[in-house]
Structures are given as C-alpha cells and as structure tokens.
Amino acid sequence: MWVSKVFCAVYLVTLVVCGASGRSASASIDSKNVRLLKDLQRHLAQPVIPDTYQGSEGNPRLIGARFRTRVDHFDPQNRDTFEFNYYSNDEFYQPGGPIYIFVGGNFQLTTYYIEHGLLYDTAARDHAWLFTNEHRYYGTSAPVENYSTENLRFLHTEQVLTDLIEWIDHLRNEVVRDPNAKVILMGVGYAGALATWARQRFPNIVDGAWGSGATVLASFDFQEHANDIGSIIRRFGGDECYNTLWVAFRTAQNLIDSERDETVTTLLNTCEPIDSGNLLDVETLFYHLKLAIQEAVFQGYNTTRIEQLCSSLVNKDEPTALSALAAWLDVYYANLPCNPFDFDANMEAGKVLQPGAAENVILGLRQTQYQACTEFGRFRTTDDDNQPFGSRVTMHFFLESCRALFGGWVTDAVIYDGVRLTNIHYGGQDPRSTNVLFTNNEFDPNRLLSITRYINPLSYAYVVPNEFISSEIYSINEQDSDELTTIKQNIQQYFTLWLSGGMTPL
Ligand SMILES: *[C@@H]1O[C@H](CO)[C@@H](O)[C@H](O)[C@H]1NC(C)=O
Ligand SMILES: *[C@@H]1O[C@H](CO)[C@@H](O)[C@H](O)[C@H]1NC(C)=O
C-alpha cells in the first residue's frame, strides 16, 4: 500500500498532505513537512503567515498564557472545564489604551499578527494592548480527551463566542485591569465572521470588529466557487486555457462513462484503478483535479502563476487536452509516487481522533470538516454549468464524506438545517450589526460568502480591486496600489471612530 511507505493523506474538503513516513504522523512530521502542510492548506481561508516567519524573535513583551473556561457554557449541570492558549503583547500599551484582539479561528495559534501587520501598526498608533487566542478544539486547545463524534458536540460557534467573551471580560478586569478599556476584534476568514458575530451579539463588550474575508454566509452548495475560479482563469489565462480545462474534464468524464477507466487511471497516475461503477471514487477524482488547479491559481497570490499554469496546459506538444492536464499534474504532484484520488484514502486523515495528532493540531482537518457538516456547509460542488471543471462533484460526495467521518446520522436534512440555522442566528449577509467593517479582495472566491456592500452606522464594506486573499491585513507598504493604501487608511479611520464612540475626533 502506498500509504505505508509515504504518508500522503489526501483530504477531501481541504488539502493534500504529504510528509515522510508514518500514518500517525504527530511524531514524525519534521518542520520542512510542516511548512509543506501549511503551504498546501492555503486555499482555506486562514491567515497566511510569511514563510520566513520563524516565530517571535524574543520580544520580551510577548507572553503566552492559558484561560480556563467551561467545556459546555449552556449546561449548568456540566461542570467540566478546559484551558485554551492565548498570547499577550503590551509593547505599545499605555493606561487608558484599548484592547485589540486577533481572533483565533480554525487554525493553530499564531503570534504573527500581534507582532506584524495593520492591526499591530494600529495598536502602535493607539497605544493598544494586543492579544490573540486559540479557538477551542484547534491547535493544543482541546476541551475533550479525543475527537470522537460524540466529543465534537461542544464544537459550535455559540460555545466559541462565549469562550471569547468570557476571556475578554477576564482580560479587561484581571490582565489589563481597566474595566472600561475599549475592545476591538479583528479576524480573517472564519475568524473574521466570529469577530463580527461577537460584536453583533455582545455590543456591550465589543466596541468594534473588522473581518477580513469574513465568511458570514452558510450555504448548502457553494457552486459559485468553481464559477468564480473559472472566471479568474479565463481573465488571466485566456479563453484557450479555460477551454482546455473544460475539454480535459469532459474527456475524462466521457472516458469513464464509456468504461475506458484504464486510460484515465494511467494518464492520471491514480494509486487505485478508477472504477466507473464506484461513484464516490469518481467524484473524489474530479474533486482532486479541481483542487489541484484551484491551488495552482491561488498559490503565490500572483496572476503570473496563472499565466504559467495556462502556458503549460495550452501545450502544443500534448495530443489532447486531457493529456496536457495529466502532464501538468505529473509535475505538480512530482513528489507523489501515485495520486491517491480514491475516497477511502481521502477519509483517513479526517478519521484521526487523537487531539495531539498532526492532522488535528496543525491542520485542524477533522474539526474543520465537522463544522462544515454541522454549521456552515459551503460544499464546493461542480454543479454549476458555467465553469470548466466538469459536473461530477456533487452534494452526494460531500454528504457521504460527512457520513464517513461522523456517522450515518448526518443526512442532507442535518446539513441543510445546520446551514439554515446558522444564517438565521447570525443574519447571513444581512447581520444588521453596527461598528463592523468587512474587507474582501477581488480575486478571492470566499468574498461571495462574505459581505461586499454594507451600510450601517459606523460600518462599511470594501473590496480591494486586483488583489488576492488578505492583501489588506498587512502594513501599509509603498508597493501597495493606491486603492489598497486608501482602504488600509480607511480601516484605521474606523478604529478611530469606534474608539471615540462614534464622535468624530476634532
Ligand atoms: C473517547 O473519549 C471518551 C470519553 O470522553 C471515551 O469514552 C471513548 O472511549 C474514547 N474513544 C476512543 C476511540 O478513544
Ligand atoms: C509576480 O511574479 C512575477 C514573476 O515571478 C514577479 O516579477 C512579480 O513581481 C510578482 N508580482 C507580485 C505582485 O508579487
């Protein structure tokens, strides 16, 4: 089996994980592989940390701590508690100054954004005390002894918001020792949604919130995702590139339908032979083909990468569109002996229950998937006609993935209900919160799950033109476009407004 030689867990909704040896990889993944894992995880809306960042460089003001809180905030009969990690940086703080928090999401705690970036720069300007927390169940902040399905029941945004708010109350009273300190939250992706929801729910505690790419909308079938990537490919790679992909995907489908599975198995170098009778394996294969292209499009945050991808796809030396795609894939996954694009191989990494395993600590695979199956959905199907990735990745695939990982109780009604309730509870794209700022980027499909137009008191939404994910969370830089610079300055102006209680400072 390939899996015994090379640890290559290819995970359905998230990523390709490749390291060196051992299935229970916690002990065996070295730092190079950890970097690789993180690199491959970029298409999740997580804050990107520059490759060169090696952790804090001995800033004496940066201090780690843990906060103890209840495992279940809503059951007074359950007295269990746990601790989550957080970091504090008071290098700019002056008494009377505000608290700025970089909110933890579905990723390991990082101190990067309380030592770098626009939030950090704004803290310097405003003499703020910076904090960042680790979200329950992620990194090493496990509230339960293992991640069995039963034990994942405390992984819910309502619990997470309560963690956040009780911690902030503690920070104000016991750490900063200023019960009146203003509090502003900032988060990226899912954590951006949490930040804005915390303001919506607890305006008495949170004075303002900025979400970058904040994914506030839950949705059953996120078919617009494929469509948006198709448009980006067409724009920067040209019609010929788009058409090559379209033809390659359709050709593979037609070959499988006409039971010429072997041709596809050989061309795409799959570890297990493709069997046209096995719908889940066929769906997994197409899921991965799309994922590979999608990662290549967003890697490097640079349209030059898309031109490079397209120049190898529109390769005159290859006889067919499918063989051009296969040739590109061969180079792209050169480190894999074969491509593990079958369903069972894809489920393995998500079935690891030990909270300390790399799949869970570093990648948050099982936890992220659980949240998708129970609260957010957003399954990236290829149901839409207006995209180049064929038509084989359907809700069936994602539903069966949820069931394989968490059990047969997950039905489409369960997922649908989770999505519907999330949107009712938080208001989806119409949250009616005040003092919230939504920022997004033109080349980030997740902006479709965020808010790109928003008018409410002391609130606004910006979309940065011609930029990939998270361009606006970094320091103001002379290489920034004029639009990007203006948006960063406006973000800082909103902080000023929130601190002054809405009175424009003279
Ligand atoms: C997971 O933890 C629970 C207790 O929370 C225990 O009863 C169960 O046996 C554990 N399951 C596994 C597979 O370790
Ligand atoms: C994009 O990549 C090209 C070539 O690798 C490089 O010259 C250019 O500076 C990059 N652009 C940005 C915005 O990083």
Side-chain angles (χ1 to χ4, degrees), residues 144-148 151 353:
V144 290
E145 67 184 76
N146 65 48
Y147 290 164
S148 67
N151 279 349
L353 302 186

Side-chain angles (χ1 to χ4, degrees), residues 301-302 304 308:
Y301 313 95
N302 189 326
T304 310
Q308 286 164 359

Side-chain angles (χ1 to χ4, degrees), residues 43 60 138 203 216 250 270 303 353 394 484:
H43 65 279
Y138 289 92
V216 293
R250 301 281 159 168
T270 60
T303 55
L353 302 186
T394 66
L484 180 54

Side-chain angles (χ1 to χ4, degrees), residues 327-348:
W328 173 80
L329 201 67
D330 228 33
V331 175
Y332 194 72
Y333 287 143
N335 56 342
L336 299 188
C338 59
N339 294 322
F341 291 167
D342 57 292
F343 186 75
D344 290 344
N346 278 263
M347 291 302 113
E348 288 206 14

Side-chain angles (χ1 to χ4, degrees), residues 423-487:
N423 289 333
I424 292 178
H425 294 179
Y426 301 115
Q429 287 170 317
D430 185 17
R432 314 223 181 152
S433 316
T434 60
N435 298 39
V436 285
L437 192 58
F438 295 93
T439 57
N440 280 283
N441 289 273
E442 188 181 0
F443 304 148
D444 175 12
N446 277 336
R447 77 187 183 289
L448 303 169
L449 302 170
S450 185
I451 292 177
T452 53
R453 284 154 54 106
Y454 193 71
I455 310 278
N456 252 314
L458 302 188
S459 300
Y460 206 67
Y462 294 99
V463 179
V464 188
N466 293 307
E467 292 287 348
F468 290 88
I469 191 167
S470 299
S471 69
E472 77 287 18
I473 71 176
Y474 302 102
S475 297
I476 292 173
N477 183 305
E478 54 189 21
Q479 280 156 18
D480 291 347
S481 67
D482 290 347
E483 292 94 337
L484 180 54
T485 304
T486 304
I487 288 172

Side-chain angles (χ1 to χ4, degrees), residues 153-459:
R153 69 192 185 283
F154 308 114
L155 177 51
H156 193 281
T157 48
E158 301 282 358
Q159 301 277 7
V160 174
L161 290 174
T162 310
D163 289 345
L164 201 53
I165 240 58
E166 296 195 353
W167 172 59
I168 293 170
D169 182 67
H170 166 79
L171 295 179
R172 258 188 180 148
N173 290 296
E174 309 297 333
V175 179
V176 175
R177 296 185 182 282
D178 176 3
N180 300 314
K182 298 261 185 193
V183 174
I184 295 179
L185 308 185
M186 187 262 169
V188 178
Y190 160 55
L194 288 174
T196 61
W197 292 340
R199 164 64 194 175
Q200 179 194 48
R201 290 296 181 83
F202 305 97
N204 56 321
I205 292 176
V206 178
D207 296 287
W210 165 31
S212 163
T215 47
V216 293
L217 183 69
S219 84
F220 191 60
D221 179 348
F222 185 23
Q223 55 177 207
E224 299 83 355
H225 187 262
N227 188 316
D228 202 52
I229 294 172
S231 307
I232 293 173
I233 292 172
R234 197 191 279 285
R235 177 160 166 193
F236 297 103
D239 288 348
E240 200 182 350
C241 182
Y242 182 100
N243 294 341
T244 302
L245 276 175
W246 197 96
V247 172
F249 275 74
R250 301 281 159 168
T251 307
Q253 286 183 190
N254 293 342
L255 285 170
I256 291 170
D257 288 349
S258 54
E259 305 201 341
R260 290 169 62 197
D261 316 337
E262 278 170 36
T263 314
V264 182
T265 300
T266 310
L267 266 175
L268 300 179
N269 186 28
T270 60
C271 299
E272 302 291 333
I274 293 159
D275 168 8
S276 54
N278 187 330
L279 178 59
L280 274 177
D281 279 355
V282 171
E283 289 180 315
T284 311
L285 167 74
F286 285 99
Y287 177 81
H288 275 289
L289 292 181
K290 169 180 177 270
L291 184 61
I293 297 289
Q294 168 187 321
E295 283 175 350
V297 166
F298 294 120
Q299 238 171 35
Y301 313 95
N302 189 326
T303 55
T304 310
R305 295 290 186 101
I306 304 172
E307 291 160 21
Q308 286 164 359
L309 163 74
C310 284
S311 67
S312 84
L313 286 178
V314 185
N315 182 342
K316 303 287 184 271
D317 298 337
E318 290 295 336
T320 66
L322 180 56
S323 64
L325 176 62
W328 173 80
L329 201 67
D330 228 33
V331 175
Y332 194 72
Y333 287 143
N335 56 342
L336 299 188
C338 59
N339 294 322
F341 291 167
D342 57 292
F343 186 75
D344 290 344
N346 278 263
M347 291 302 113
E348 288 206 14
K351 286 182 177 169
V352 177
L353 302 186
Q354 297 89 337
E359 291 88 341
N360 296 329
V361 173
I362 300 171
L363 303 175
L365 284 179
R366 185 168 168 81
Q367 307 93 303
T368 298
Q369 184 64 16
Y370 182 80
Q371 293 196 280
C373 298
T374 58
E375 283 194 87
F376 306 133
R378 304 178 185 144
F379 296 111
R380 296 163 174 187
T381 65
T382 55
D383 289 346
D384 191 273
D385 287 339
N386 197 13
Q387 47 81 27
F389 304 108
S391 58
R392 289 297 150 83
V393 188
T394 66
M395 281 305 298
H396 173 262
F397 169 65
F398 295 104
L399 173 62
E400 289 306 318
S401 304
C402 290
R403 295 165 72 90
L405 298 179
F406 307 114
W409 62 275
V410 188
T411 59
D412 53 4
V414 167
I415 300 176
Y416 196 83
D417 225 34
V419 165
R420 186 179 66 86
L421 292 175
T422 300
N423 289 333
I424 292 178
H425 294 179
Y426 301 115
Q429 287 170 317
D430 185 17
R432 314 223 181 152
S433 316
T434 60
N435 298 39
V436 285
L437 192 58
F438 295 93
T439 57
N440 280 283
N441 289 273
E442 188 181 0
F443 304 148
D444 175 12
N446 277 336
R447 77 187 183 289
L448 303 169
L449 302 170
S450 185
I451 292 177
T452 53
R453 284 154 54 106
Y454 193 71
I455 310 278
N456 252 314
L458 302 188
S459 300

